[in-house]
Amino acid sequence: MAEPARKLDVIDARPAFTQADADALNARFEGVETLEMLRTLFAEDLLGETAIVSSFGTESAVLLSLLARVNPDVPVVFVDTLKMFPETDAYRIELLDHLGMHNRRVITPDPEVLAKKDETGLRWSYDPDGCCAIRKVEPLARAKDGLDSWFSGRKAFQSQTRANLPRFEVEDGRLKVNPLGDWVKADLDAYFEEHHLPRHSLEAQGYLSIGCAPCTSVVKPGEDPRAGRWRGWDKVECGIHGEVITHPDEDPANEPAF
């Protein structure tokens, strides 16, 4: 009698999520209130290994607060580019302490890459795309390694590049969740007031969208809230959300961006 065929070990290399999964989730949660959606996602374990990526900018407290109410143990990832305002790091600690979120991960650029690509620390001044690539995009890629999904605080109203932002999308096989995609500024302000959330100290000085210190300036009355980012450059995004940026492959040494 022939022996049964040996069962082969197979490595499942399929992505955790597909666009069909994102489409199904968008359909399921259409019109569902944000907090209820978040509670369901965690109650039904629909996200796999997940984390929230936060810039700790002027609006970051809202999403962090919502997640703290649902699952305060969710990992909070902060990409420290080593060019941040000191006020941002102080706000990060203050806000997470206030919300009782203690699972904190700080990711920094690879020092060998910095030594090779930005020895003077001034790459932001002549190649902001390349600077973002080595100080934001690559560190975040490392931070997302092992995650099935992650939360983003993007909102559709913030800029034209974020219009029609879905709640769920797929990027590199991971589910990206944008719980605040359809929130407007009035919604955010009302939430801040209702839940007594601390504000970023630079907001009162006119910094409405806060990134790295060298590339962030005060927003003038009537300007788009993100007008203070990369002022004077044909650039509106850092690239961590997969957006097309101006010239990410240009490098003074004709080498890859990272």
Side-chain angles (χ1 to χ4, degrees):
M1 180 177 179
E3 295 182 3
R6 182 171 64 88
K7 184 177 181 180
L8 299 177
D9 293 328
V10 178
I11 298 176
D12 188 351
R14 293 174 297 177
F17 291 93
T18 65
Q19 187 57 49
D21 296 320
D23 292 342
L25 288 168
N26 280 316
R28 175 179 176 181
F29 290 106
E30 183 177 2
V32 176
E33 191 266 338
T34 304
L35 188 61
E36 180 183 348
M37 179 190 76
L38 293 174
R39 284 176 173 151
T40 302
L41 291 173
F42 282 99
E44 297 185 14
D45 193 21
L46 298 178
L47 301 171
E49 291 295 322
T50 193
I52 174 175
V53 175
S54 179
S55 67
F56 291 90
T58 57
E59 299 166 349
S60 297
V62 173
L63 180 55
L64 286 162
S65 172
L66 287 164
L67 285 168
R69 293 167 64 185
V70 174
N71 181 3
D73 295 324
V74 64
V76 180
V77 175
F78 173 60
V79 178
D80 182 357
T81 65
L82 307 180
K83 294 288 184 182
M84 310 300 287
F85 287 97
E87 291 89 346
T88 296
D89 199 48
Y91 183 55
R92 175 180 66 87
I93 296 169
E94 175 192 10
L95 182 56
L96 293 181
D97 286 349
H98 176 81
L99 296 173
M101 302 181 82
H102 301 291
N103 192 348
R104 312 173 186 184
R105 304 176 185 177
V106 178
I107 309 298
T108 56
D110 185 325
E112 292 186 4
V113 173
L114 290 184
K116 181 179 180 182
K117 301 284 188 177
D118 194 13
E119 183 179 7
T120 65
L122 295 174
R123 185 163 184 164
W124 61 269
S125 66
Y126 59 86
D127 180 21
D129 287 343
C131 187
C132 286
I134 61 177
R135 291 182 180 271
K136 290 185 179 181
V137 180
E138 189 279 331
L140 182 56
R142 282 189 278 114
K144 292 189 295 185
D145 188 32
L147 294 180
D148 300 309
S149 63
W150 60 292
F151 287 93
S152 161
R154 292 183 301 163
K155 275 95 37 194
F157 80 88
Q158 289 175 320
S159 68
Q160 291 183 349
T161 61
R162 298 179 178 187
N164 302 315
L165 186 68
R167 277 182 162 180
F168 301 91
E169 54 188 332
V170 172
E171 185 179 279
D172 298 327
R174 294 185 186 88
L175 186 70
K176 185 193 294 189
V177 189
N178 307 302
L180 306 181
D182 58 352
W183 285 45
V184 297
K185 187 68 166 61
D187 298 327
L188 299 170
D189 290 340
Y191 191 96
F192 263 97
E193 184 174 352
E194 179 182 356
H195 295 277
H196 308 288
L197 296 177
R199 294 275 190 174
H200 196 301
S201 62
L202 292 178
E203 184 177 8
Q205 300 179 35
Y207 293 90
L208 303 186
S209 179
I210 301 173
C212 296
C215 298
T216 303
S217 60
V218 170
V219 175
K220 301 172 185 177
E223 286 188 319
D224 183 280
R226 288 179 65 82
R229 303 289 293 277
W230 304 287
R231 190 179 293 278
W233 289 90
D234 183 19
K235 177 177 173 66
V236 294
E237 299 284 0
C238 64
I240 65 172
H241 294 292
E243 308 93 345
V244 176
I245 52 180
T246 310
H247 48 278
D249 294 325
E250 288 187 8
D251 188 288
N254 294 319
E255 298 172 346
F258 54 84

